[in-house]
Amino acid sequence: MIKNYFLRHLQTLFFSLGQMARAPLATLMTVAVIGITLALPTGLYLLLDNLQRLSGGWDAGVQISLFLKQDIGDAEAGRIAERLRAREEIESVRYVSRQAALAEFKRLSGFGEALNLLDENPLPAVLLVRPKPAHGSPQAAAALARSLGETRGVDLAQLDLEWVKRLNAMLSLARRGVILLAGLLGLAVLLIVGNTIRLAVLNRRTEIEVVKLIGGTDRFIRRPFLYSGLLQGLAGALTAWLLVALSLALLGGPIADLADLYGSGFRLAGLGAAQGFSLVLGGGLLGWLGSRLAVGRHLREIEPA
Amino acid sequence: MIQLTNVSKRYPGGYDALKDVSFELAAGEMAFLTGHSGAGKSTLLKLITLIERGSRGQIVVNGKNLARLPRRRVPYFRREIGIVFQDNKLLNDRTVFDNVALPLIVSGVDHGEVGRRVRAALDKVGLLNKEKLHPIVLSGGEQQRVGIARAVVNKPPLLLADEPTGNLDAELSDEIIDLFHEFHQHGVTVLIATHDLRQVDRLEKRRLMLRAGELIYDSGRDA
């Protein structure tokens, strides 16, 4: 009984494949349209994914500068640094004394001579705090900076992260946009498959009437259409995967060159196996659903007369 | 097998295709349904096969009250009826074998069983050697016989035919009607709608006559 059931499904599958093979041009065009439609959001998703990875590399460089009050001496500063190192969010703390800060400033700013004219060192001592990677996200780092700012002896905690925050805000906006676009294009795939299947249903009107007359259930009549919708969706998703992989192969070289020029080891990441599998699964699902909607609507209209 | 009680069918617009028709066809009986075109023969067959539903009255076929049969049960109900059409309704993109096999495939008959039963049905209508051909290359009489093979391959207890000889010459018509008679002799209930009175006279079976939607004559069982 169960063997029979699978056999019948297998027969329907091959019947649908045969039907598609008999109209290769129409099938190819539908599959190509679905492929391009799915490739667009997939490509954008990958772009965002890569940007995220790129900016993720920058997140690791998050550093909080704690400017100490003027009356804190070296010994006191050392004790504060020691207490900070004990905190679990913090990776390392480096102490820059007032003298060291002044020397560095003279070296880097070019105001060396002018500074010599000052009676006393105007620069505060600084503790450079580097959070652990787990606490390196903009939100966590900002929270840490706020908390450190209230430490006794600390005048000001400064987190130079504004631009990373802005980039991340833009990325999450773009991600929202891609999701929206993916939704719309998914709907487009639904309509494309729906329309193809609608035409197929109308083309086989006579056959459907005859099958209804000799006692074919709706489920039986629906089955081959559902299979061809599923197959078109799957083939379209595979095409999308191929298109994205091709585009990446074309862009990969120049991007690697560019990254090397900036001294970065960044490389474009392609679609992983899990992501590719989700794409194919989603494509198949959309094809099946589009077909189901179209067949459901038109099957009732076709009654023998 | 078929029982009609005060059945009427009114189409939208007020046209009465059938008016208060009552008759009973016993299991194993054979009958001709006659009348001019538009007398209501086709409508009657459509009501019996649930292609359409009656406006009034009760129809019981093979023990089932059609008014109480929900839409989803209709396919299973139709598997108990073999239907032959004037235009035979064969599918021209498939072989004779596949056409005849369709009712078996539809009801999920075992693969090996399909071949055996299709060949048995084709043998009965004398077309065993044509199973690989497409219906389009067959003559009109042969096509109609393929249609009959498809109608009986499921071994239904009831066989209905709507003008099965409408497109055939006298000699081929005789062959087709004789084929139906043969099934009747094997115990199948047969109802044939036709305006070919020659066949009706030739076989001397029960005769039901419709005129303008009314049953005006019933010769009674096996006149």
Side-chain angles (χ1 to χ4, degrees), chain B residues 33-189:
Chain B
L33 185 63
T34 66
H36 295 294
S37 308
K41 303 190 296 287
S42 295
T43 303
L44 192 59
L45 292 187
K46 282 178 185 171
L47 294 189
I48 294 171
T49 52
L50 268 178
I51 292 172
E52 283 171 5
R53 292 197 183 250
S55 312
R56 246 175 307 145
Q58 178 180 275
I59 307 175
V60 178
V61 178
N62 205 4
K64 289 177 185 70
N65 184 345
L66 299 195
R68 296 216 197 102
L69 205 67
R71 203 191 107 88
R72 66 189 162 75
R73 298 299 308 171
V74 169
Y76 303 97
F77 164 71
R78 287 199 184 129
R79 290 177 195 178
E80 297 164 9
I81 309 176
I83 315 173
V84 177
F85 307 90
Q86 178 171 3
D87 59 351
N88 65 58
K89 289 199 190 299
L90 297 177
L91 299 175
N92 285 321
D93 60 344
R94 302 171 189 216
T95 60
V96 165
F97 181 96
D98 287 344
N99 267 284
V100 176
L102 203 54
L104 301 176
I105 305 282
V106 155
S107 33
V109 172
D110 223 61
H111 193 65
E113 181 80 358
V114 169
R116 208 178 58 70
R117 279 164 72 170
V118 169
R119 293 202 176 87
L122 281 174
D123 192 26
K124 256 184 231 155
V125 300
L127 287 175
L128 198 49
N129 54 340
K130 310 256 168 136
E131 65 169 57
K132 290 199 176 68
L133 298 178
H134 282 250
I136 202 97
V137 301
L138 301 180
S139 71
E142 286 173 329
Q143 287 184 15
Q144 197 54 281
R145 281 191 278 161
V146 174
I148 294 171
R150 185 182 64 189
V152 300
V153 73
N154 246 349
K155 297 190 178 145
L158 173 62
L159 197 54
L160 300 178
D162 190 5
E163 303 282 2
T165 61
N167 299 332
L168 304 176
D169 62 31
E171 198 181 326
L172 285 173
S173 297
D174 287 359
E175 275 179 30
I176 296 294
I177 297 298
D178 285 346
L179 208 46
F180 280 113
H181 189 234
E182 220 172 283
F183 287 115
H184 158 62
Q185 284 174 329
H186 282 89
V188 178
T189 313

